[in-house]
Amino acid sequence: DIVMTQSPDSLAVSLGERATINCKSSQSVLYSSNDKNYLGWYQHKPGQPPKLLIYWASTRESGVPDRFSGSGSGTDFTLTISSLQAEDVAVYFCQQYYTTPHTFGQGTKLEIK
Amino acid sequence: QVQLQQSGPGLVKPSQTLSVTCAISGDSVSSNSVAWTWIRQSPSRGLEWLGRTYYRSKWYNDYALSVKSRIGINPDTPKNQFSLQLNAVTPEDTAVYYCARTRAGVLDYWGQGTLVTVSS
């Protein structure tokens, strides 16, 4: 199985400041034939199901605010929230869908400083 | 708008079978462009992808090796739903179980989650 490791485990950021979450895969999730990274990001708030934010490592899902962006390739990826809002408090997960099982990172808890 | 509505018992005895159903509206379980997936979440295991079913001229399943000997994911085309069965459960199977639609690999619509506790 591909192991997904996120850092940090938790993060406290002031409102309006930038938040950066990292995700590393144990093997590349870049498919050379189409040059796509099979990596997604999800936001999970208590009592709700996870919400898809980003797919193909950097494509925002419809309706997701443009303060959320994804970057990276191969084995190293980043989710950036450019200006933290109160409603962004949540746990964030990365997931690889390069090969089954589609494994998740352990999650990063984002709080307001 | 796709909606997934889960149903199933919240308490299962050890060694018995866990069963959760996911009713689909706004899409078809027989769609040949998506898959239908089960995931669970627990404090000890985090988010764990369990498996999926999908139709591409015939039905296919993929399962995580960790549960492959105990799991079944089955479509029900007349009712437009799919179900999860997990046999011989232990307390380690206690988790919130989610169904989701998989589109090009990502989980774009999720059910509300079902907390299943394995306890006598």
Side-chain angles (χ1 to χ4, degrees):
Chain A
D1 296 0
I2 296 177
V3 177
M4 307 300 291
T5 304
Q6 291 181 229
S7 61
D9 289 335
S10 63
L11 180 63
V13 174
S14 300
L15 289 172
E17 296 298 305
R18 179 185 301 262
T20 301
I21 298 169
N22 300 301
C23 175
K24 188 174 184 67
S25 57
S26 61
Q27 64 187 75
S28 176
V29 298
L30 172 63
Y31 193 38
S32 56
S33 65
N34 60 9
D35 201 32
K36 287 183 181 291
N37 286 282
Y38 284 57
L39 190 285
W41 287 98
Y42 299 84
Q43 176 191 65
H44 195 190
K45 296 181 178 180
Q48 300 180 19
K51 174 187 174 183
L52 175 65
L53 298 175
I54 302 281
Y55 58 97
W56 301 133
S58 61
T59 302
R60 254 189 316 273
E61 176 73 337
S62 175
V64 173
D66 61 6
R67 64 180 181 274
F68 291 92
S69 64
S71 62
S73 185
T75 61
D76 292 280
F77 301 91
T78 300
L79 174 70
T80 301
I81 307 172
S82 60
S83 176
L84 189 70
Q85 306 298 303
E87 62 265 31
D88 300 335
V89 169
V91 178
Y92 292 83
F93 294 93
C94 59
Q95 183 205 20
Q96 66 79 21
Y97 47 101
Y98 182 85
T99 186
T100 58
H102 294 170
T103 45
F104 294 87
Q106 81 277 16
T108 296
K109 186 174 184 179
L110 178 58
E111 299 173 313
I112 305 293
K113 185 186 290 184
Chain B
Q1 179 76 351
V2 176
Q3 291 188 321
L4 303 177
Q5 182 66 41
Q6 298 179 219
S7 59
L11 182 64
V12 181
K13 288 182 166 48
S15 80
Q16 295 193 340
T17 296
L18 176 159
S19 182
V20 188
T21 298
C22 185
I24 303 163
S25 57
D27 201 345
S28 170
V29 71
S30 304
S31 169
N32 59 12
S33 61
V34 299
W36 303 97
T37 302
W38 287 97
I39 308 99
R40 68 182 177 183
Q41 185 177 32
S42 64
S44 59
R45 293 172 176 263
L47 279 168
E48 182 180 12
W49 184 94
L50 296 176
R52 64 184 178 182
T53 189
Y54 57 99
Y55 186 76
R56 302 289 186 270
S57 302
K58 68 175 185 176
W59 288 101
Y60 293 88
N61 289 100
D62 295 313
Y63 298 129
L65 280 178
S66 60
V67 294
K68 191 169 186 177
S69 63
R70 302 191 290 132
I71 192 172
I73 297 176
N74 298 297
D76 182 341
T77 51
K79 294 184 177 179
N80 201 32
Q81 62 187 30
F82 64 110
S83 63
L84 167 70
Q85 282 84 43
L86 190 63
N87 302 323
V89 296
T90 72
E92 280 77 46
D93 294 311
T94 294
V96 177
Y97 286 78
Y98 293 101
C99 63
R101 188 182 81 164
T102 299
R103 183 200 80 218
V106 287
L107 304 158
D108 61 348
Y109 289 97
W110 295 65
Q112 79 275 22
T114 300
L115 173 60
V116 180
T117 301
V118 179
S119 175
S120 54

